[in-house]
Structure formats: C-alpha cells, structure tokens
Amino acid sequence: MDRAGDVREVQVSGVPTSFDESVVLLDVREDDEWQRGHAEGAIHIPMGQVPARMSEIDPNAKLFVVCHLGGRSMRVAGYLAQNGYAPINVAGGMQAWVDAGRPVITDGGGVGTV
C-alpha cells in the first residue's frame, strides 16, 4: 500500500466520539493490538486484510482510519483513496486517542490499553 499525498488527516479532537453506519472508525492494527484495547464502535480490519475486505467498508460513510501511531493508517488511507474512498487519517493513532483521554475498551467491555 502506498501513501497518498492527498489524504486528509485530523487530530483526535476532530474525530467523533461515537460511530455508526454513516461515521466509521476503521482500526487497521493487528489482532493482538485490537484485543488489548480499541475505541468503542470501531470496526477492525488489520492492514494486510484491507484489500480483500474492502466490501465491508461503506464508501459513502465518513471514514476515519486509525492504527497505533498513525503511520500504518496513513498507508491504508492512501490505498483506500486510490480506490474511490475519502478516508481521513487519525494523526497520532490510538496513542493520541488515549493521550486525549478518550476511552479504550476490550471486546468484553472492560478497560483496555494501547
């Protein structure tokens, strides 16, 4: 996946706090990272699976892409942009999410970590 120069990027403060069909937070971290903790309502597709699973991502949704620090998500966002999506990379990733005081949960609903 190549980085696209025209991908928008936003600080965590510009990311909504809840997600649904029209506003999606796509977490592209690996399974072990996701299991330690993620944003509530995010969808999880590890970076390497994105090309095969693009049909799971609504091209009409407002799409935020996140990883641990922002590098992998920028690459995925670039790939999605080249394929007709309008993704927005989350600067600083889940680390910035936590630093901003936003909650992180586990699949079981407990307090997660990044």
Side-chain angles (χ1 to χ4, degrees):
M1 291 182 204
D2 293 324
R3 182 181 184 131
D6 59 349
V7 171
R8 288 181 44 210
E9 188 167 55
V10 67
Q11 300 299 315
V12 169
S13 60
V15 179
T17 56
S18 64
F19 306 97
D20 56 27
E21 305 81 39
S22 65
V23 180
V24 172
L25 179 64
L26 173 63
D27 189 323
V28 299
R29 295 175 301 149
E30 296 301 319
D31 290 334
D32 62 317
E33 294 173 291
W34 171 266
Q35 290 168 2
R36 282 192 298 271
H38 53 270
E40 186 172 0
I43 64 169
H44 180 229
I45 303 177
M47 179 178 179
Q49 296 177 21
V50 169
R53 296 177 59 188
M54 283 178 44
S55 64
E56 298 176 37
I57 306 166
D58 183 350
N60 298 313
K62 186 165 188 175
L63 177 61
F64 295 89
V65 186
V66 70
C67 66
H68 183 74
L69 296 173
R72 286 177 286 175
S73 56
M74 180 58 86
R75 290 182 63 203
V76 171
Y79 178 80
L80 291 169
Q82 292 170 352
N83 285 279
Y85 292 80
I88 303 165
N89 188 55
V90 178
M94 287 301 295
Q95 187 61 58
W97 184 274
V98 169
D99 291 347
R102 296 218 179 170
V104 176
I105 63 166
T106 62
D107 282 340
V111 175
T113 61
V114 173

